[in-house]
Amino acid sequence: MTVKDSGGLDWSADIPVRRREPWLALHTKMKEPIRAGALDAGKMPALQIPKDAAAIILVRPDTDPTNPEIFWARRSTKLAFLGGFYAFPGGQREPSDIEAPVRHCNDPETAAMISCGARELFEEVGVLLARGAQTLTIGQRASLLDDLESKRLAWPELLNLYGLHLDASDFTFVGRWVTPPFAPRRFDTWFFLADCPAKQQPRITEDSELESGEWIRAGDAYERWQRSEVIAVPPVLHALKTLAAGLTADLVERFLSAPQARREPTRRIEFYPNYICFPVRTPTKPPATHTNCYLVYTSREILVIDPGSPYEDEQLALADCVDDLISQGRTVREIILTHVHPDHVAGVDGLNEHLTQKHGAAVPVAAHRLTAESLKNQVSVNRFVEDDEVLKLNGEPAIRLRALYTPGHARGHLCFYDERTGALISGDNIVGFGSVLIDPPEGNMREYLDSLRTMRLLPNLSVLFGGHGPAVANPYEKIDEYISHRLQREELILEAVREGASTPKEIVARAYTDVPTRAHSMAERAVLAHLKKLEDEGLVEQTSHGTYRAAQAND
Ligand SMILES: [Zn+2]
């Protein structure tokens, strides 16, 4: 049986699991057919089906064609999805988009996506790319926008009422990119290049998901990314790089030369230069379906952090990417593990087998001592990484990663902090979406909160590269959110105990009313972790029957 992922990937029915040791077998037995069955039974989240979306790359009128100015914007840091990322105005398709009048376009699908892009552009930055709009005054355009945003008029109605129409020749199609399956929200985004009408100035509107925007030369924008000052998703980066080479005759061809611009899956994601996020499919905890492996590289060396997939096809895909970096003159220095969980370590042996076969030698594996202890007889760790140790990579740029011992999610958990760029590889302490499970005895809530506070104190944090999901470009907000979320939950748990709930099950029933019942057994694990912390703090005690009650005041 195959499960169709509309991103163009098929989950083939029988992918062999490379390792067969009892321990790994335990964690990797969920091979694809079982997964497919679980999907059918509704037990596992399916990969998110990408939703249609469109984005408009606006080019400034009379710009220098050798290094054109384009309009880019920063997404609000309050957004859960890609908050703080730099992007082009755009968004998700609405049902009525297909009804808008679009001339010179025979394909209804393309017409609908042009309409979607034009509507989003108008809604987010107030630029109306419609024929006939040139006779409208600024005030008239503002009132049209108000009609649209207040939903007095639907987009097609509005265009018709004011005698406006869209013309496909104003929109140059420059690619269609599908969000990799590691994200909680996935889009199949159509990108269009369009000239900004001379009399209109893009300005971030009140209801926009964008917090600021500006004209910038494509080359300057690309350089800002190269200096690790901005974070962007692969299609945005590709657009900046392509436009930086000028508005040449082969511009569209260059845009479409990337296979990912033709809906091929994006595997290698470089949110920051020299940090490749390479999500691999793993039997991980829902809602995640993938674990991020990170390849940190300089001109000479590569560090591989958390090669976690037990699946052979995924191990091969990762090995290809590593080979690519090696073929440019680099060597793999080490494989490093953030923590013990199988979805972070199950690809270590596979990668080392590949390196031995193809390049003549395996590389050392490094982890915290406690991780190495737990992995004994399963993955051999050759070197212990200590708290505060600095890993210096040879070559350019000078990358120094400071290891931070941050237990809580797992006993030997490590994060890695790059002081130069403010990037933090956060393992499973903070992830790009979903919540982090603290499952005792490996998990410890008090230590976890302490670790989050340690991370919060790091200066100049600019991005979190978590074990799952997209990078987090609003790190301090995200860490604060994690801490307050845990403390609020703990309040509810303590309240439940004080009101007489005495078992994790009873506590979950009272303190997790916002969580669907299918997640309640996981919630019970988290409750145990909170109870342990509350016990240590003298607020809760365990009775001789193993149940819990509020601690009696000692006075
Ligand atoms: Zn984990």
Side-chain angles (χ1 to χ4, degrees):
M1 139 160 233
T2 56
V3 180
K4 185 77 178 152
D5 161 29
S6 62
L9 288 165
D10 275 330
W11 292 75
S12 65
D14 212 357
I15 293 162
V17 174
R18 187 172 272 199
R19 305 295 302 179
R20 294 271 176 206
E21 284 87 351
W23 173 83
L24 279 179
L26 179 76
H27 294 281
T28 58
K29 66 185 178 200
M30 193 177 280
K31 282 186 287 177
E32 301 312 318
I34 302 171
R35 184 175 215 286
L39 280 168
D40 278 351
K43 286 180 196 140
M44 285 186 81
L47 290 180
Q48 296 295 314
I49 305 290
K51 298 192 165 77
D52 281 336
I56 306 279
I57 308 167
L58 216 48
V59 180
R60 194 169 198 172
D62 303 319
T63 189
D64 171 7
T66 64
N67 187 4
E69 276 182 272
I70 45 111
F71 190 81
W72 76 345
R74 186 166 193 229
R75 290 172 56 79
S76 163
T77 51
K78 293 185 188 75
L79 295 172
F81 183 64
L82 307 183
F85 277 61
Y86 276 75
F88 304 118
Q92 207 176 310
R93 176 174 170 176
E94 286 182 0
S96 69
D97 285 339
I98 199 160
E99 292 157 26
V102 183
R103 296 210 189 141
H104 303 116
C105 184
N106 304 325
D107 174 38
E109 186 70 5
T110 307
M113 295 321 295
I114 286 175
S115 162
C116 166
R119 177 185 49 72
E120 286 286 341
L121 184 74
F122 188 40
E123 286 177 344
E124 298 212 301
V125 301
V127 170
L128 186 52
L129 267 184
R131 296 285 174 105
Q134 60 274 19
T135 59
L136 299 173
T137 63
I138 294 179
Q140 284 171 320
R141 278 205 312 273
S143 102
L144 254 67
L145 185 58
D146 193 49
D147 284 342
L148 184 65
E149 289 189 330
S150 62
K151 303 208 186 325
R152 270 192 298 276
L153 286 176
W155 171 240
E157 273 173 5
L158 177 143
L159 294 173
N160 285 322
L161 195 68
Y162 288 85
L164 308 171
H165 69 268
L166 306 173
D167 193 308
S169 60
D170 295 337
F171 301 82
T172 307
F173 173 75
V174 287
R176 199 171 154 186
W177 292 64
V178 179
T179 316
F182 76 145
R185 292 173 67 194
R186 301 182 62 206
F187 296 100
D188 179 344
T189 308
W190 299 53
F191 287 83
F192 297 98
L193 208 57
D195 290 324
C196 185
K199 284 188 184 157
Q200 299 193 43
Q201 232 338 300
R203 204 166 284 126
I204 305 298
T205 59
E206 258 171 53
D207 291 353
S208 176
E209 291 195 327
L210 308 170
E211 67 177 26
S212 59
E214 59 181 344
W215 289 112
I216 186 167
R217 282 192 186 84
D220 296 350
Y222 187 62
E223 277 170 23
R224 287 196 61 193
W225 174 80
Q226 285 177 311
R227 291 195 301 267
S228 310
E229 291 172 6
V230 299
I231 298 174
V233 295
V236 173
L237 194 60
H238 176 66
L240 298 178
K241 206 172 161 179
T242 307
L243 286 161
L247 302 176
T248 56
D250 65 347
L251 178 68
V252 173
E253 206 178 303
R254 286 191 288 116
F255 258 104
L256 299 178
S257 66
Q260 303 93 305
R262 305 187 302 269
R263 305 185 76 232
E264 293 267 315
T266 304
R267 296 298 319 237
R268 173 185 162 146
I269 306 164
E270 215 158 332
F271 291 116
Y272 256 15
N274 303 91
Y275 282 81
I276 296 173
C277 170
F278 197 96
V280 286
R281 201 172 70 255
T282 54
T284 181
K285 292 212 161 54
T289 55
H290 288 62
T291 301
N292 294 333
C293 173
Y294 289 97
L295 303 169
V296 185
Y297 68 93
T298 64
S299 56
R300 288 171 52 194
E301 290 190 319
I302 311 159
L303 278 183
V304 182
I305 300 177
D306 288 356
S309 181
Y311 305 126
E312 198 162 25
D313 60 333
E314 291 294 281
Q315 293 184 354
L316 285 174
L318 177 67
D320 269 354
C321 183
V322 172
D323 284 351
D324 218 38
L325 293 171
I326 291 175
S327 72
Q328 294 157 358
R330 302 179 183 91
T331 53
V332 181
R333 161 107 160 240
E334 229 170 34
I335 297 173
I336 303 190
L337 307 175
T338 60
H339 67 291
V340 65
H341 288 148
D343 60 327
H344 291 255
V345 311
V348 169
D349 290 346
L351 182 59
N352 253 336
E353 271 170 36
H354 170 83
L355 291 172
T356 308
Q357 275 166 25
K358 182 137 187 206
H359 305 282
V363 299
V365 180
H368 191 268
R369 187 174 39 79
L370 294 172
T371 302
E373 242 167 49
S374 307
L375 286 175
K376 211 156 40 186
N377 306 326
Q378 290 135 19
V379 173
S380 53
V381 172
N382 312 89
R383 189 176 79 81
F384 298 156
V385 180
E386 306 291 341
D387 182 35
D388 218 30
E389 176 185 322
V390 176
L391 300 151
K392 286 185 211 138
L393 287 187
N394 295 310
E396 293 294 318
I399 293 183
R400 292 160 44 94
L401 286 178
R402 183 177 297 278
L404 300 169
Y405 173 55
T406 44
H409 171 69
R411 292 187 309 140
H413 195 286
L414 293 170
C415 292
F416 297 93
Y417 177 53
D418 178 341
E419 285 164 9
R420 183 181 60 98
T421 62
L424 179 68
I425 293 177
S426 57
D428 272 0
N429 274 3
I430 300 250
V431 295
F433 75 108
S435 60
V436 171
L437 180 63
I438 307 302
D439 189 0
E442 186 71 39
N444 180 305
M445 193 60 74
R446 189 178 45 76
E447 288 182 346
Y448 179 60
L449 281 162
D450 284 347
S451 290
L452 290 180
R453 290 184 186 113
T454 304
M455 292 158 72
R456 180 69 176 78
L457 288 173
L458 292 169
N460 309 319
L461 264 187
S462 59
V463 61
L464 304 175
F465 293 128
H468 306 275
V472 173
N474 46 352
Y476 293 109
E477 282 101 328
K478 184 60 88 181
I479 299 173
D480 285 344
E481 182 190 310
Y482 266 53
I483 294 172
S484 67
H485 170 77
R486 293 291 173 177
L487 294 179
Q488 276 166 22
R489 189 66 79 186
E490 192 167 284
E491 277 290 302
L492 293 174
I493 289 169
L494 187 57
E495 207 176 288
V497 175
R498 284 179 174 152
E499 284 169 2
S502 65
T503 64
K505 202 180 166 81
E506 286 170 15
I507 295 167
V508 166
R510 291 183 193 221
Y512 285 74
T513 48
D514 57 326
V515 171
T517 10
R518 68 185 137 79
H520 278 192
S521 60
M522 275 225 257
E524 285 180 34
R525 303 303 304 166
V527 163
L528 277 175
H530 279 292
L531 287 169
K532 174 77 176 58
K533 174 171 177 285
L534 291 168
E535 246 187 294
D536 291 350
E537 290 167 356
L539 293 166
V540 160
E541 54 194 28
Q542 214 171 349
T543 70
S544 50
H545 312 291
T547 57
Y548 295 86
R549 67 180 176 212
Q552 316 295 320
N554 299 322
D555 49 19

